[in-house]
Amino acid sequence: MKLNRRAFVGTGVAAATLSAPMVNAASHGKPKVVVVGGGAGGATAARYIAKDSAGEIDVTLIEPSRSYYTCFFSNLYIGGFRELDSIEHSYGTLASEYGINVVHDWATGVDRDAKTVALAGGGAVPYDRLILSPGIDFVDGAVPGWDVSAQNAMPHAYKGGSQTELLKAQIMAMPEGGTYVMVAPPNPYRCPPGPYERVSMVAHVLKANNPTAKIIIADPKPSFSKQGLFEEGWQKHYAGMVTRIGPDFGGDNVSVDPAAMTVDVDGEVIKADVVNVIPAQKAGLICEAAGLTEGNWAPVTGHTMQSRLDENIHILGDATNQGDMPKSGFSANSQAKVAAMAVRGALTGSRVFPAKFSNTCWSLIDTNDGVKVGATYEATDEKIAKVDGFVSQTGEDAALRQATYEESIGWYEGITSDMFG
Amino acid sequence: MAHSSGLFISVIGGAALVLGASYGWTAREFRAAELDVLTDRVGQLERSNADWASKADQTSALEARLSELETELSAALQAAEDAKQAAMQPVAEPVQESATDPVIADASALEFGDPARGEEVFAQCRSCHQIGQGATDRIGPHLNGIFGRRAGAHDGFRYSEDMSMMGSDGLTWELDTLNAYLENPKALVSRTRMNFAGLDDPQDRSNILAYLRQFSASPQNIPEAAPTAQAREVELAPEVLAIVGDTDYGEYLASECKTCHQQDGSDQGIPAITQWPTEDFVVAMHAYKRKIRPHPVMQMMANRLSDEEIAALAAYFAQTE
Ligand SMILES: Cc1cc2nc3c(=O)[nH]c(=O)nc-3n(C[C@H](O)[C@H](O)[C@H](O)COP(=O)(O)OP(=O)(O)OC[C@H]3O[C@@H](n4cnc5c(N)ncnc54)[C@H](O)[C@@H]3O)c2cc1C
């Protein structure tokens, strides 16, 4: 069951469709940490605090879904390299082995004076420290003609699960020689190479099933992550299939008509069979509801991942404005460990060390053709600042590309067990 | 598909510009489109000309820098030689290692030694490795043509997983890498099957390298002592190996490793790092830090770790189950 978050946050109705779990709000001595969002940032933070405080801190995780479908590797599912259930994770171990109180509900608001989080299902959960890692929501009106009510006709597949499944089904059902159009997002957005890895994976399935089909990307950005590597790969594996319309040709002036299944690029109308709209993004709505955003994102300090607007609240992952780190699962996981350490230090006096961050993003271009980009970061007073980095090179040999792909499989196993235990 | 020709033009223009290649759009009827493509091509050519000009500038700047560096290097070599001479004077004070660089970098350039002596040293390798005419793989691979060969890449030989992985990561057998491997095989390739403690004496190593070199194609093309072929073995100062790691700090630092390396010790795609002997771990991390071990992620991660941090990680991982 997929629920429309806007309806929840906006009106607080439909709560009846969720089983409202008992939330034990009674106070009993131990410091309380509440984590909102059980994704790359939230699940990691909850697990590390529970694990490392060994029972000294009460941890509650608020997450509406019973299954978390990772966005990472969701493109590989589209490309036929993964089964959907291989990217699905449950919260069972976090509850049973780490003693985390997992509450399946939406957080609808934060009372920062009373230090409580309101739930859609009713009631409020008190906290001493709150961690928000709600991921992204979409900027209203970013792509004229599109809003979330059109996400079935024109999926974004930029949040995991049913959207990804829907997009894949639509691609598989494309008529022979049909057209897939991606409306790519402007910066900053979650997973900089994500749209282009997706194009690679769509091309991979189409090449096998529908080789005369076409892929068009309407892109508002003049350049994009790992561009040289992707373009080399598209040329090598999918020559003639992919066309990208950059801003110099109107890629930044796009509207869609979901009923007619058309995309208007700078006044020219394309009739498409599948339209994958990835709109401009902003922090998950709860950040705005809690008054923690400036512009589209929630500003934080890198030393502890504390909100710059409320020191009792730490914000992680895609929702933040932190500096140089890309919005990725790896980054959110890395930030979560810094926040977990800071929270434990503040609540139990455990040792706190200087923050270190890192990120590596792997992308698959075709079978055994993997590439990666990565960097390390440190916290300065001003922002999280890049220290050092690397990127795969064009023209690398097949053995290295295969090793890089195999490494990404290892990373996936590593990060998901780091999140969910 | 119902396109207007206007879109066709911008699509083709965009494709030629952005990807510089053919995209299977047949546009013969669209003369205007062809014109546009040609205009783009001309523009592209102009840009790439400008590019080349600036590259040429960069190249000559780099060449200038290179010869500067070469001068500096030979000065450094001279200084090292002087220091060595001075150290050998019985009355002279012993040469102090720089306190900030824990790795004893052997300042003298690597050189090939005496192949005849090398043959004698090689005797201890013969139980596993053959070399010369008719050599075949035994317990270890034959060593003909070892110079310039990718690690773990000799067809038909079953290498350890670590060796194959190092090869895919880019480890190639050259003067410096062979020297490092011979000195301490496990510092370079953790779980190599080669069951050999290493040759401590630099002279033994340079002799054996001279011997091996005779069995590689065109040995005269293998540089004697190219400026880059400086000794880079990770010979760690005893005080670095003696640092007692702070396991609490190690635990925090290790959380960063666990994003990729699985905590249950499984090693699919990425090697396991739990339960490492402390010293092996320390040596391996320094080898990444000094970029002797290939692999961009590990080089980057190790690069910002201090000696204390490496010791802390080693102490933590040694105690994990
Ligand atoms: C196609 C694609 C490919 C990607 N590939 C990679 C990759 O290869 N590597 C990589 O590192 N990253 C990748 N990413 C990016 C990665 O998925 C995100 O950066 C990461 O998930 C961010 O973590 P987060 O904790 O900020 O948000 P999320 O992981 O999205 O978690 C947010 C959670 O919060 C919950 N939530 C939201 N609002 C509320 C609320 N009000 N109350 C309660 N719960 C709430 C949501 O249900 C969700 O479970 C990819 C993304 C996409 C879209």
Side-chain angles (χ1 to χ4, degrees):
Chain A
M1 176 183 54
K2 265 288 166 207
L3 295 159
N4 179 339
R5 180 180 319 184
R6 251 158 243 269
F8 267 114
V9 176
T11 65
V13 295
T17 58
L18 288 170
S19 59
M22 285 301 295
V23 177
N24 183 1
S27 167
H28 59 84
K30 281 191 203 170
K32 292 183 190 340
V33 170
V34 173
V35 181
V36 173
T44 308
R47 178 170 165 271
Y48 270 78
I49 293 172
K51 168 171 81 70
D52 295 339
S53 70
E56 277 184 62
I57 297 178
D58 261 357
V59 182
T60 299
L61 175 62
I62 302 170
E63 163 60 52
S65 305
R66 283 163 200 281
S67 283
Y68 178 80
Y69 289 89
T70 57
C71 282
F72 27 108
F73 275 23
S74 66
N75 287 330
L76 274 62
Y77 158 73
I78 291 173
F81 292 91
R82 298 289 287 213
E83 294 299 323
L84 193 64
D85 59 14
S86 80
I87 58 171
E88 178 187 6
H89 303 270
S90 89
Y91 296 94
T93 311
L94 290 184
S96 63
E97 280 197 17
Y98 298 90
I100 295 167
N101 179 21
V102 181
V103 176
H104 289 299
D105 203 345
W106 289 100
T108 53
V110 179
D111 183 335
R112 285 162 46 189
D113 296 322
K115 295 213 268 181
T116 56
V117 178
L119 298 181
V125 195
Y127 65 82
D128 295 301
R129 285 287 169 121
L130 173 62
I131 296 178
L132 299 177
S133 192
I136 53 148
D137 272 292
F138 300 115
V139 173
D140 287 327
V143 178
W146 192 94
D147 63 38
V148 278
S149 71
Q151 71 176 9
N152 280 5
M154 295 187 168
H156 50 79
Y158 235 59
K159 298 184 184 185
S162 56
Q163 275 281 304
T164 317
E165 222 177 336
L166 177 65
L167 180 63
K168 172 148 185 176
Q170 292 183 355
I171 291 163
M172 297 313 282
M174 269 169 67
E176 199 181 323
T179 302
Y180 163 102
V181 179
M182 169 185 283
V183 180
N187 289 321
Y189 59 96
R190 100 175 343 175
C191 195
Y196 310 97
E197 180 186 58
R198 175 167 298 163
V199 162
S200 309
M201 292 294 95
V202 172
H204 176 83
V205 277
L206 290 178
K207 187 179 172 186
N209 301 301
N210 190 349
T212 54
K214 295 279 172 240
I215 297 175
I216 298 171
I217 311 166
D219 202 333
K221 302 179 293 298
S223 63
F224 58 88
S225 171
K226 298 190 250 194
Q227 182 163 359
L229 295 165
F230 280 116
E231 288 177 352
E232 177 194 56
W234 296 342
Q235 188 54 40
K236 178 169 170 205
H237 304 294
Y238 317 116
M241 204 178 230
V242 184
T243 301
R244 175 170 168 272
I245 308 170
D248 42 352
F249 287 90
D252 55 347
N253 181 20
V254 173
S255 64
V256 297
D257 182 342
M261 283 301 283
T262 54
V263 180
D264 182 316
V265 183
D266 211 20
E268 304 299 337
V269 177
I270 306 172
K271 177 93 183 85
D273 301 292
V274 176
V275 182
N276 179 192
V277 178
I278 308 175
Q281 295 159 27
K282 62 179 182 181
L285 289 173
I286 187 72
C287 293
E288 205 177 315
L292 297 169
T293 51
E294 276 173 3
N296 285 336
W297 309 101
V300 293
T301 160
H303 296 296
T304 56
M305 300 307 292
Q306 274 163 305
S307 163
R308 292 204 187 261
L309 305 175
D310 187 333
E311 62 178 14
N312 295 314
I313 302 179
H314 301 246
I315 310 175
L316 308 176
D318 292 355
T320 59
N321 174 7
Q322 34 68 23
D324 296 347
M325 295 184 80
K327 298 184 186 302
S328 73
F330 200 124
S331 296
N333 170 272
S334 174
Q335 293 160 11
K337 292 163 188 173
V338 169
M341 177 177 60
V343 164
R344 283 199 303 121
L347 298 180
T348 66
S350 63
R351 292 172 69 190
V352 175
F353 303 100
K356 280 189 197 282
F357 303 93
S358 54
N359 176 62
T360 298
C361 283
W362 285 265
S363 301
L364 186 61
I365 298 177
D366 196 358
T367 310
N368 285 330
D369 192 358
V371 292
K372 62 189 169 190
V373 57
T376 51
Y377 307 85
E378 65 187 14
T380 67
D381 290 343
E382 185 203 337
K383 63 170 185 176
I384 297 182
K386 181 172 167 178
V387 177
D388 189 12
F390 71 88
V391 58
S392 296
Q393 301 299 303
T394 49
E396 286 172 343
D397 66 22
L400 179 53
R401 290 295 176 86
Q402 180 172 347
T404 302
Y405 169 58
E406 285 164 3
E407 201 173 273
S408 74
I409 298 171
W411 163 75
Y412 186 87
E413 296 305 321
I415 191 173
T416 51
S417 56
D418 203 34
M419 291 163 62
F420 298 106
Chain B
M1 281 184 298
H3 297 262
S4 75
S5 63
L7 178 70
F8 249 28
I9 292 167
S10 69
V11 166
I12 290 172
L17 244 187
V18 178
L19 297 172
S22 83
Y23 279 83
W25 298 80
T26 316
R28 293 240 160 67
E29 312 91 287
F30 298 95
R31 303 210 60 80
E34 285 180 324
L35 238 179
D36 249 35
V37 172
L38 282 176
T39 324
D40 282 341
R41 286 262 162 78
V42 171
Q44 258 183 358
L45 282 174
E46 276 167 4
R47 273 192 301 279
S48 77
N49 274 342
D51 240 38
W52 280 115
S54 87
K55 288 226 170 89
D57 281 342
Q58 284 171 17
T59 309
S60 54
L62 281 175
E63 273 165 5
R65 180 79 189 117
L66 191 65
S67 71
E68 252 175 63
L69 283 175
E70 276 170 359
T71 321
E72 277 172 34
L73 184 70
S74 62
L77 289 179
Q78 188 55 50
E81 186 53 35
D82 291 346
K84 204 162 129 196
Q85 295 301 333
M88 277 153 58
Q89 303 291 320
V91 286
E93 289 278 356
V95 184
Q96 289 293 314
E97 288 302 330
S98 134
T100 51
D101 187 0
V103 177
I104 302 170
D106 181 359
S108 64
L110 262 181
E111 276 179 38
F112 288 106
D114 173 357
R117 292 259 171 79
E119 186 169 3
E120 288 163 23
V121 186
F122 190 74
Q124 57 187 308
C125 315
R126 281 196 197 281
S127 48
C128 299
H129 291 284
Q130 294 193 344
I131 194 163
Q133 212 181 4
T136 56
D137 295 340
R138 288 299 166 93
I139 295 172
H142 77 72
L143 298 175
N144 293 341
I146 186 73
F147 278 88
R149 188 153 97 193
R150 247 311 156 92
H154 166 52
D155 270 353
F157 186 77
R158 209 169 60 86
Y159 292 93
S160 66
E161 228 166 76
D162 279 25
M163 184 66 88
S164 307
M165 201 176 274
M166 281 290 161
S168 322
D169 287 348
L171 181 66
T172 303
W173 294 126
E174 307 289 359
L175 188 57
D176 52 353
T177 49
L178 275 173
N179 183 51
Y181 190 60
L182 283 178
E183 194 212 354
N184 184 350
K186 297 213 156 85
L188 194 60
V189 184
S190 304
R191 272 159 276 229
T192 174
R193 289 215 178 92
M194 185 163 96
N195 201 359
F196 179 62
L199 285 172
D200 281 344
D201 182 355
Q203 194 57 52
D204 281 351
R205 296 199 299 274
S206 69
N207 290 343
I208 223 173
L209 287 167
Y211 176 68
L212 292 177
R213 171 168 170 262
Q214 298 177 326
F215 302 96
S216 282
S218 11
Q220 66 279 9
N221 292 341
I222 299 165
E224 285 277 355
T228 51
Q230 272 228 357
R232 294 193 306 175
E233 71 258 43
V234 248
E235 202 176 281
L236 293 178
E239 59 270 26
V240 170
L241 286 172
I243 299 174
V244 178
D246 173 344
T247 48
D248 283 356
Y249 191 21
E251 180 169 12
Y252 165 62
L253 293 170
S255 70
E256 195 161 39
C257 313
K258 289 177 186 167
T259 305
C260 300
H261 296 275
Q262 286 188 66
Q263 42 228 333
D264 66 5
S266 52
D267 60 357
Q268 186 193 11
I270 291 184
I273 45 171
T274 46
Q275 282 188 307
W276 263 37
T278 310
E279 191 168 319
D280 289 4
F281 185 95
V282 170
V283 168
M285 290 305 284
H286 280 281
Y288 280 119
K289 188 171 174 172
R290 295 183 67 83
K291 303 201 181 344
I292 296 174
R293 283 185 171 223
H295 200 277
V297 178
M298 286 308 302
Q299 289 178 352
M300 175 182 82
M301 299 307 289
N303 185 38
R304 62 162 172 181
L305 294 174
S306 66
D307 298 342
E308 283 71 26
E309 289 171 333
I310 289 176
L313 275 168
Y316 170 74
F317 278 118
Q319 59 157 39
T320 50
E321 290 123 43

